[in-house]
Amino acid sequence: EVQLVESGGGLVQPGGSLRLSCVASGFTFSSYAMTWVRQAPGKALEWVSSITNEGYTYYANSVTGRFTISRDNAESTLYLQLNSLKTEDTAMYYCAKPRLPRVMVITPRRDDYDVWGQGTQVTVSS
């Protein structure tokens, strides 16, 4: 079974940090670009960051300089380091796998990915 399982979310004060993880199973993780998408309460899905299977990284303007995406292919794990968190970063964070290997997908559209994790909640509040 192809599966993505996120963890690492929580409640943090503004300016704080969190590290999200997404453990993949059931497919050749190292062959796929991977993406983080978030959804704030009452808002649409928002693309956050993507990383190619070779390790090239891409970020939304809203998180550039504060978030860092990375991957450990040996552990089939995707990471998102969140620093300098703001209240507007409050959202459910999802990792997502595209349908095809070695294809970068930089959209928030649910149908552009064939597997999503269950999400991990990040709440930034004082």
Side-chain angles (χ1 to χ4, degrees):
E1 179 188 6
V2 178
Q3 196 172 13
L4 299 171
V5 179
E6 300 100 331
S7 63
L11 173 63
V12 63
Q13 292 185 341
S17 297
L18 286 172
R19 190 193 196 198
L20 308 184
S21 299
C22 169
V23 178
S25 60
F27 65 100
T28 306
F29 178 77
S30 59
S31 295
Y32 286 81
M34 295 293 294
T35 290
W36 286 97
V37 175
R38 68 185 180 184
Q39 187 168 30
K43 296 190 175 182
L45 290 168
E46 177 189 12
W47 172 76
V48 174
S49 181
S50 296
I51 184 168
T52 70
N53 58 306
E54 298 170 326
Y56 294 100
T57 59
Y58 302 85
Y59 299 94
N61 289 339
S62 59
V63 307
T64 297
R66 300 187 300 120
F67 291 8
T68 303
I69 191 171
S70 62
R71 64 191 298 158
D72 183 339
N73 288 336
E75 297 294 328
S76 296
T77 303
L78 177 71
Y79 299 100
L80 188 67
Q81 178 68 40
L82 288 62
N83 295 331
S84 302
L85 281 161
K86 305 176 181 180
T87 55
E88 52 263 44
D89 295 317
T90 295
M92 185 72 79
Y93 284 71
Y94 300 94
C95 60
K97 169 191 168 293
R99 299 181 186 282
L100 297 176
R102 294 176 292 279
V103 173
M104 172 64 71
V105 177
I106 306 182
T107 80
R109 290 191 297 268
R110 189 167 290 276
D111 289 346
D112 288 342
Y113 305 89
D114 64 348
V115 182
W116 292 72
Q118 84 288 354
T120 187
Q121 178 67 41
V122 172
T123 302
V124 185
S125 175
S126 55

